[in-house]
Amino acid sequence: MRHWIHTTPLGAACVLGMAVAAAGPRPAVAQDASAAGQTTIEELVVLGSRGAPRAAMDTPVPVDVFSSEAIESVASSDMVDVIGQLVPSFNVSRQPISDGASFVRPIQLRGLDTHHTLVLVNGQRRHRSALLQLGGFGAHGPDVGTIPSSAVANVEVLRDGAAAQYGTDAIAGVLNFNLKEIREGGDVSVRFGEYDAGDGRELIIDGAFGLPLGRDGFLTISGQYADVDATSRSVLYNLPGPDGRIPSEIFADDLAGGTVINGANFFGPDNLTITRNEAGEVLDIQMGPDGVPDDLDNRFVEFYPTVNGPGPFSDVEQPWGQPARDQWMLFFNAGLPINEQLELYAFGNYSEKDQISGFFHRRTDVPQLRPVRLEDGTLYNPRDELYPAGFTPQFGADVADLSLAFGGRGDLDNGLAYDVSAFYGRNKIDYVILNTMNPSMGPDTPTEFSPGTLKNEEWSLNANFVTTFDAGLASPVTLAFGGEYREEKYTLGLGDEASFTVGPFAFPDPFGLCEDPTQARPELVDFIAAGCEAGTDPALNALPVGSNGFPGYSPQVAGSEDRNSWAIYTELEADITPDWLVNAALRYEDYSDFGDVAIWKLATRYSLTPNINLRGSVGTGFRAPTIGQIATTNVSTRIAPDGFPVAEGVFPSTSAAAGLFGGDVLDAEDSFSYTLGLTASPLDSLTLTLDYYYIELDDRIVLSSAFTVGPEEVAQLEALGVEGANTIGQVRFFTNDVDSETWGVDFVADYALESDFGTTRFGAAVNYNKTKITRAGDFISAQDQFNREKAQPRTRGNITVRHAWNDFDVMARARYYASYTRAENAALSNIQDFSSKTFFDLEASYNFMENYRVTLGAQNIFDTFPTRTQFQCCGRAYDSASIVPWQGAFYYLRASASF
């Protein structure tokens, strides 16, 4: 007889669906996600334990289960936003102008980084994104945004360290996305939405359908298409005005020199005529009859595409918001029973996301736009030829994600349950950068580049086994054991040649005009000679190298790194007495590139009464440095405090560049954690859980603060053979430079009320989380330490009320974010307090003709915005790194049908 449960993960990296009859589950019902306030369903939880499935209230560690209905109650095409609204301890920010992080947003569970949360699909370890986050502490984890809500039957959230059971990364917790299993029929929905500001319009089409395979098998195919427009919440640079547009009052001297007033560049209306001499000096300015061009705003809109490129906000010098996104995602899930002892299964996905965002605006006085002299001595000024008003590079990424898992599972005659599987996952990012230049190429520069690709690949083989034996306890002992072999490969793909070419103008006087001015046109000889003698002639200018904003990966940087690892584990679980459950796990892993580690975990649950349980866990964990963190080289442009762009290089910790500033070989992170919780159901319709947690992380892998590269360091880097050393202004690298402590409390409550007017469900979830840096070495600045500890709300919570009556369904949700404090400079002299905010969502649905449903809803119905930042730069109005939403009200209409 088969005992397979397809929706619950039991393997270290695979589904080991089983329920051993001799250790059958307790007769209880698991609550649906209390935070979402959905209807209670009969859902048994196995995440966090390989013993028999148990109700969520009876698990030794905290696990929340969110149904597909709960997921659909959040109107978003991005799964990270969905989980972020449902789980208060799960945080995500918008990340504009953050290189690849604008497209693959980092998540946080319990205040720790993306790579401290293990992500599973059907219990199988999800492969990492190709993107290595180069902001914050430098996270490197999976892209949860590649999982469409239409494919998910439910999500299990384990809020506890579980590295001893599931391996590296499972320090803060585990997310497991269980895929839908449909044999026939399906559903489809169409959603249209738009922000109150009139932008961010989106069209979402998703659905799932099933086909039978044989007598008892199934094939479920699900997918989503999303067309999402960009948003902009930018403002004028420290000046009043609408929507970030250039003001109508400008001054001749500002136009002439492209100078800056209060951080804003006022240069270049289309009817302005500026006459310069061969030195680039302004001789004459012609404007409108009153000295200021009439109707400047309107004509600037027409002129501005040469500043902001082909983006959707051509009239905004510096857009801040979400990127434009066009994506489609497909998943399949299949199972085919062969006989009483074997079921074959497979699942996988393919998705593509094409996204475009922006970088910082390059003012007209930046080094990239300095004039130079051509071989005949004539002047080339990129401000005249390309970007009279400066330029804002447009950065895009095509993210392709692929995975495939297949295996077999079943129960042998001797009672041994087995699951053997193989997995392959790949994530690839193709970058493109538009509306920019390679300054060193002078007039030969393109304005569009392909700076390269990132690719992360993972292969794994898994074998997992579960059996039971009688030891004279209240229940048989469940023994689980198994192993895993995994290979990983990380690749930096070569950019197009122009994106990294060192052009002639990377060096002063490339044509020797100052040495021999007679090479120039006769009328320029004396002029150039005088300028060279004074050291002011444009021939002496040296311009930056590479596609500005994101220089391409050169042959010296491009390449692949790989490694392999293997692991074995064992786990025991039993009811010592009818009221006392104990679970113990032990794991050993060995990595080819940095060594081995052994970790353990103990968990227990004690029933004080039939309705009250005490639970707790204690254990160790680890996180191996990813190949990306070990081997990545990246040069990108950052904006320095003075408003000028600076090239920042991220180098391997063992490279010559990192070694100059103290870089060393990376080691694994070590963790120690424990939890203590209480679960109670004082009424049949009321459930309560309260859990305290503590996580200690030693040798935490972080991205160092930026080291300034001065003339002395440039000479040293050149002597060490570092490519492009003379163009790099800052150096960063990964380091085990931080120890930290994180502790907090999770509270979840759910209550159902039945009446003659229908069913009302009340759900509440609150998280308090605090992180303290207990050791910060020489590579972490005071600003980074301050913001890691204080720059996010410590308390988050939501309350949801859902009422169902006949064919109507109404949902109301309140989301709370506590106050927080952020430092804006390393000296900690610019510190701002941000006030608490509460956002309200409302949704109403009507069901008709049994299979059809129409939903009208709004998120943030009162159009609430967070506190504006006082230390505004470059048009930024809000703290864009915060987890507090800052896009405003969003309205949507959804129509769905089942068949």
Side-chain angles (χ1 to χ4, degrees):
M1 179 177 180
R2 292 190 297 270
H3 299 292
W4 305 327
I5 301 174
H6 303 296
T7 58
T8 52
L10 291 170
C14 67
V15 175
L16 182 54
M18 51 72 68
V20 181
R26 290 175 174 266
V29 176
Q31 65 180 22
D32 186 15
S34 301
Q38 303 298 319
T39 303
T40 299
I41 59 175
E42 293 186 354
E43 188 81 59
L44 297 179
V45 177
V46 194
L47 189 65
S49 167
R50 293 185 179 83
R54 298 179 185 274
M57 294 291 290
D58 292 333
T59 58
V61 291
V63 181
D64 293 325
V65 182
F66 296 87
S67 69
S68 59
E69 290 80 11
I71 295 169
E72 290 171 3
S73 74
V74 180
S76 176
S77 59
D78 194 333
M79 184 61 75
V80 297
D81 287 326
V82 174
I83 305 300
Q85 289 200 27
L86 296 178
V87 183
S89 58
F90 181 100
N91 296 322
V92 63
S93 56
R94 171 46 56 192
Q95 298 281 342
I97 316 181
S98 297
D99 296 328
S102 298
F103 314 126
V104 182
R105 291 188 291 159
I107 63 172
Q108 291 183 340
L109 186 64
R110 290 182 162 177
L112 298 181
D113 290 312
T114 298
H115 49 229
H116 294 126
T117 299
L118 178 62
V119 178
L120 310 174
V121 173
N122 273 2
Q124 169 71 57
R125 174 185 287 269
R126 186 73 172 160
H127 57 282
R128 294 185 183 90
S129 165
L131 178 68
L132 176 64
Q133 312 284 350
L134 297 180
F137 272 6
H140 191 193
D143 182 4
V144 176
T146 59
I147 304 173
S149 58
S150 59
V152 179
N154 62 58
V155 180
E156 296 170 303
V157 182
L158 169 62
R159 293 179 280 110
D160 189 42
Q165 297 158 302
Y166 299 102
T168 183
D169 301 348
I171 291 176
V174 182
L175 299 178
N176 180 52
F177 295 86
N178 289 307
L179 302 178
K180 291 179 178 177
E181 299 179 4
I182 306 174
R183 291 196 77 243
E184 59 183 20
D187 56 76
V188 63
S189 70
V190 179
R191 184 175 75 244
F192 175 80
E194 184 177 89
Y195 282 97
D196 184 75
D199 56 15
R201 183 172 299 178
E202 67 176 30
L203 172 65
I204 311 297
I205 303 173
D206 57 18
F209 68 93
L211 299 171
L213 286 182
R215 186 183 67 179
D216 299 320
F218 68 93
L219 171 62
T220 303
I221 299 176
S222 54
Q224 180 187 92
Y225 170 75
D227 183 5
V228 181
D229 291 343
T231 64
S232 178
R233 301 294 175 264
S234 63
V235 295
L236 270 178
Y237 292 8
N238 297 325
L239 293 172
D243 302 325
R245 291 184 176 85
I246 298 298
S248 58
E249 295 182 0
I250 57 177
F251 304 96
D253 56 343
D254 301 313
L255 291 168
T259 57
V260 175
I261 294 181
N262 291 334
N265 172 48
F266 307 140
F267 186 93
D270 55 351
N271 72 339
L272 184 69
T273 301
I274 299 178
T275 304
R276 295 188 179 90
N277 61 22
E278 290 296 333
E281 299 170 330
V282 175
L283 300 179
D284 186 40
I285 301 173
Q286 297 294 327
M287 296 191 294
D290 58 355
V292 175
D294 297 328
D295 195 18
L296 177 61
D297 280 346
N298 290 336
R299 281 184 279 109
F300 205 91
V301 169
E302 298 173 2
F303 175 77
Y304 226 105
T306 63
V307 176
N308 201 18
F313 298 99
S314 59
D315 59 338
V316 179
E317 186 178 27
Q318 182 64 73
W320 288 87
Q322 71 180 21
R325 173 165 48 96
D326 185 81
Q327 72 179 29
W328 60 270
M329 299 182 286
L330 290 175
F331 261 85
F332 82 93
N333 188 28
L336 179 62
I338 302 301
N339 53 44
E340 290 293 318
Q341 295 181 334
L342 173 63
E343 179 194 34
L344 300 179
Y345 65 88
F347 57 90
N349 81 290
Y350 183 77
S351 67
E352 287 191 3
K353 293 192 295 183
D354 187 8
Q355 303 171 93
I356 188 76
S357 185
F359 277 163
F360 286 100
H361 176 68
R362 273 61 170 162
R363 305 179 324 210
T364 53
D365 50 354
V366 297
Q368 289 82 357
L369 294 175
R370 289 173 180 163
V372 292
R373 290 206 180 275
L374 304 180
E375 191 169 8
D376 65 355
T378 56
L379 192 70
Y380 170 73
N381 192 329
R383 283 178 55 182
D384 292 336
E385 302 294 333
L386 285 178
Y387 302 119
F391 62 103
T392 304
Q394 300 294 292
F395 187 54
D398 184 4
V399 182
D401 192 87
L402 169 70
S403 70
L404 176 62
F406 60 90
R409 59 192 168 202
D411 297 328
L412 301 180
D413 291 337
N414 61 6
L416 180 69
Y418 68 91
D419 189 316
V420 179
S421 66
F423 172 81
Y424 172 75
R426 184 192 72 193
N427 186 271
K428 183 182 179 183
I429 302 176
D430 287 285
Y431 285 127
V432 62
I433 187 166
L434 318 169
N435 197 55
T436 187
M437 61 193 299
N438 181 338
S440 71
M441 295 179 68
D444 296 327
T445 180
T447 58
E448 178 178 336
F449 303 83
S450 296
T453 63
L454 299 175
K455 184 168 63 174
N456 186 79
E457 297 175 276
E458 298 177 24
W459 301 260
S460 66
L461 297 173
N462 304 274
N464 302 277
F465 307 92
V466 178
T467 188
T468 61
F469 60 88
D470 192 355
L473 302 175
S475 75
V477 177
T478 299
L479 169 64
F481 59 95
E484 178 183 43
Y485 175 79
R486 189 164 75 249
E487 292 186 358
E488 304 170 65
K489 184 177 182 180
Y490 192 76
T491 301
L492 273 68
L494 190 69
D496 63 50
E497 187 173 358
S499 70
F500 58 80
T501 290
V502 181
F505 302 102
F507 310 97
D509 197 17
F511 305 113
L513 293 171
C514 286
E515 295 180 7
D516 183 9
T518 61
Q519 300 178 75
R521 291 167 49 178
E523 66 272 21
L524 300 176
V525 171
D526 292 340
F527 193 87
I528 292 174
C532 289
E533 183 177 353
T536 59
D537 194 84
L540 298 174
N541 288 335
L543 304 186
V545 174
S547 45
N548 186 248
F550 199 110
Y553 298 129
S554 67
Q556 289 76 18
V557 172
S560 298
E561 297 285 342
D562 57 41
R563 75 174 177 201
N564 62 73
S565 64
W566 60 270
I568 55 174
Y569 73 89
T570 186
E571 183 177 344
L572 292 169
E573 181 173 297
D575 290 298
I576 305 300
T577 71
D579 297 321
W580 184 23
L581 167 71
V582 175
N583 175 281
L586 181 66
R587 187 180 189 90
Y588 174 83
E589 293 206 18
D590 185 272
Y591 285 77
S592 61
D593 55 351
F594 79 90
D596 59 356
V597 63
I599 51 178
W600 57 271
K601 180 179 178 179
L602 295 173
T604 187
R605 186 223 65 229
Y606 186 78
S607 298
L608 296 175
T609 73
N611 298 320
I612 300 177
N613 295 325
L614 288 177
R615 63 187 180 188
S617 67
V618 60
T620 60
F622 81 106
R623 192 188 74 80
T626 68
I627 307 177
Q629 291 172 324
I630 293 174
T632 286
T633 299
N634 179 276
V635 177
S636 58
T637 301
R638 308 291 178 183
I639 297 299
D642 61 3
F644 281 91
V646 58
E648 178 179 279
V650 176
F651 297 94
S653 62
T654 55
S655 67
L660 182 63
F661 298 97
D664 202 353
V665 177
L666 289 179
D667 199 357
E669 300 177 344
D670 297 317
S671 72
F672 171 78
S673 64
Y674 63 86
T675 64
L676 182 63
L678 173 71
T679 71
S681 52
L683 303 173
D684 289 341
S685 56
L686 174 64
T687 59
L688 305 168
T689 66
L690 181 67
D691 293 279
Y692 170 87
Y693 57 88
Y694 172 86
I695 306 169
E696 180 181 302
L697 266 173
D698 293 333
D699 296 327
R700 189 167 175 176
I701 300 170
V702 299
L703 191 59
S704 73
S705 300
F707 291 89
T708 301
V709 177
E712 181 179 346
E713 287 80 15
V714 168
Q716 291 175 306
L717 290 175
E718 288 178 334
L720 293 169
V722 176
E723 180 186 10
N726 63 327
T727 67
I728 296 172
Q730 297 178 169
V731 167
R732 303 180 76 187
F733 51 88
F734 282 93
T735 173
N736 295 95
D737 203 40
V738 166
D739 295 342
S740 67
E741 293 177 348
T742 298
W743 66 272
V745 178
D746 286 316
F747 172 75
V748 178
D750 185 86
Y751 177 67
L753 176 64
E754 299 284 349
S755 70
D756 294 338
F757 301 99
T759 301
T760 305
R761 292 195 65 87
F762 301 87
V766 179
N767 170 256
Y768 175 85
N769 186 87
K770 181 178 180 179
T771 293
K772 180 177 178 58
I773 304 297
T774 57
R775 178 184 66 88
D778 299 330
F779 307 133
I780 304 301
S781 71
Q783 180 186 9
D784 286 342
Q785 180 175 344
F786 183 97
N787 288 338
R788 176 57 60 164
E789 294 180 340
K790 300 181 180 181
Q792 297 290 2
R794 288 181 177 173
T795 302
R796 271 198 62 197
N798 59 57
I799 298 175
T800 302
V801 180
R802 182 180 289 277
H803 181 74
W805 179 64
N806 293 335
D807 294 327
F808 293 92
D809 191 347
V810 179
M811 185 276 295
R813 178 183 293 122
R815 294 176 281 133
Y816 172 77
Y817 298 82
S819 60
Y820 68 97
T821 304
R822 175 176 291 278
E824 293 293 335
N825 63 353
L828 303 186
S829 58
N830 293 340
I831 295 178
Q832 181 180 357
D833 295 327
F834 294 83
S835 61
S836 62
K837 294 293 177 180
T838 303
F839 302 86
F840 295 92
D841 309 328
L842 186 63
E843 179 183 279
S845 299
Y846 174 65
N847 302 281
F848 61 97
M849 298 175 63
E850 295 186 359
N851 297 327
Y852 301 93
R853 182 181 180 96
V854 176
T855 301
L856 180 65
Q859 294 181 353
N860 188 8
I861 58 175
F862 298 117
D863 200 27
T864 301
F865 282 85
T867 306
R868 285 201 175 193
T869 175
Q870 298 172 359
F871 307 106
Q872 180 175 291
C873 168
C874 319
R876 184 179 66 151
Y878 305 101
D879 178 13
S880 54
S882 171
I883 64 172
V884 182
W886 49 275
Q887 297 294 296
F890 181 79
Y891 309 105
Y892 59 93
L893 175 67
R894 180 172 62 236
S896 57
S898 58
F899 53 90

